Amino acid sequence: MPPIPKRTVTTLALAAAMLAGMPATAQVAQTVEPMIPAAGTILDVRAEGKTTRTPDLATIRAGVVSQAATAAAALGDNAQRMARVLAALKRAGIAARDIATANVGLSPQYRYAENQPPVVTGYQATNSVAIRFRDVARAGTILDTLVAQGANQIDGPNLSLADPDAALDEARVDAVKRARAKAELYARAAGMSIARIVSIDEAGQNDGGGGNPMPMMMVRKMAADSSTQVSAGETDVTVSLSVRFLLK
């Protein structure tokens, strides 16, 4: 075997010395194993859960509209009328915390003529309050009381749930059951079975709030009768879910 040239020996020795001086971590190649997804088939299912409740909260918006030749007269008449309305609500047992001012306004009224500037003919003052109460059966009586005491603008009642959380939870449980039943159907049809739930996404909900308010003009007409009747009926509380299943 021929001798190794001196320059080559020197080069090899230098390379060995450089490797010896490097940290151990730099001498070992690092490898990262890719994450392997769970084996199986992914199935996405949408389902809606529902429960039914009887509304136990009524909200009414009642107001007084007054007109007079001057702003001061309109405001004065409006204040007197609203004071009678508020006093009647107090006598009816509505707590102060359940009565909130919704709007106070004052605006001029105009007469318009062709080729003439508008002329102020008077002023209109408005004051409205939002009233809520938990005895829905009294809604008709409250409406009659409001009209009798001078309220001439009424919107409601708007029927809803005072505490919708429990109903929402029932609807969520129902939605998961429906989603699983649907997933099991698909899995059986494909000759597979459910391994586990991968994710649950709540797409939307209706908590029974808002209800279906009665039109304002209808309420005013009914309030003119001897006794206004309001039926609570039932409201549906719904939850929509998107559920991802892993099939095997």
Side-chain angles (χ1 to χ4, degrees):
M1 180 177 180
I4 300 175
K6 178 181 289 188
R7 180 175 298 176
T8 302
V9 172
T10 304
T11 302
L12 291 174
L14 179 60
M18 291 178 63
L19 287 173
M22 293 177 65
T25 55
Q27 299 180 35
V28 181
Q30 299 294 317
T31 60
V32 178
E33 294 293 335
M35 294 184 64
I36 301 175
T41 300
I42 294 295
L43 173 65
D44 291 321
V45 173
R46 294 182 61 87
E48 182 179 272
K50 182 177 72 173
T51 188
T52 302
R53 288 285 193 278
T54 299
D56 56 358
L57 181 66
T59 304
I60 296 174
R61 182 164 174 165
V64 175
V65 180
S66 302
Q67 294 183 347
T70 66
L75 282 174
D77 178 71
N78 191 268
Q80 292 179 7
R81 288 170 177 259
M82 182 53 73
R84 293 198 297 268
V85 169
L86 294 176
L89 289 173
K90 183 178 180 180
R91 290 193 301 271
I94 306 299
R97 67 176 182 275
D98 291 329
I99 304 173
T101 298
N103 178 67
V104 176
L106 176 67
S107 59
Q109 303 298 293
Y110 295 97
R111 181 179 67 247
Y112 297 92
E114 188 175 357
N115 299 324
Q116 297 291 329
V119 177
V120 176
T121 59
Y123 292 84
Q124 178 175 283
T126 59
N127 191 341
S128 61
V129 293
I131 310 143
R132 64 179 184 179
F133 48 95
R134 291 165 180 79
D135 188 356
V136 176
R138 299 181 58 211
T141 302
I142 298 297
L143 288 171
D144 293 339
T145 300
L146 290 169
V147 173
Q149 296 302 319
N152 52 10
Q153 189 177 57
I154 295 177
D155 185 11
N158 195 342
L159 306 180
S160 60
L161 301 178
D163 184 12
D165 290 343
L168 282 171
D169 287 345
E170 282 190 17
R172 291 182 178 111
V173 171
D174 184 55
V176 172
K177 290 180 178 178
R178 291 173 182 268
R180 189 172 188 91
K182 189 182 294 186
E184 288 174 347
L185 176 65
Y186 282 119
R188 286 195 303 271
M192 306 178 75
S193 61
I194 295 176
R196 61 183 175 87
I197 291 177
V198 177
S199 64
I200 299 176
D201 178 47
E202 188 168 297
Q205 59 180 240
N206 168 26
D207 61 5
N212 295 315
M214 301 170 68
M216 181 177 66
M217 293 305 294
M218 180 183 295
V219 173
R220 293 178 64 183
K221 180 179 183 299
M222 291 173 63
D225 299 335
S226 59
S227 179
T228 302
Q229 301 296 319
V230 174
S231 299
E234 292 183 336
T235 185
D236 290 335
V237 178
T238 61
V239 171
S240 297
L241 297 181
S242 295
V243 185
R244 174 165 289 185
F245 293 88
L246 179 65
L247 305 184
K248 60 181 180 180

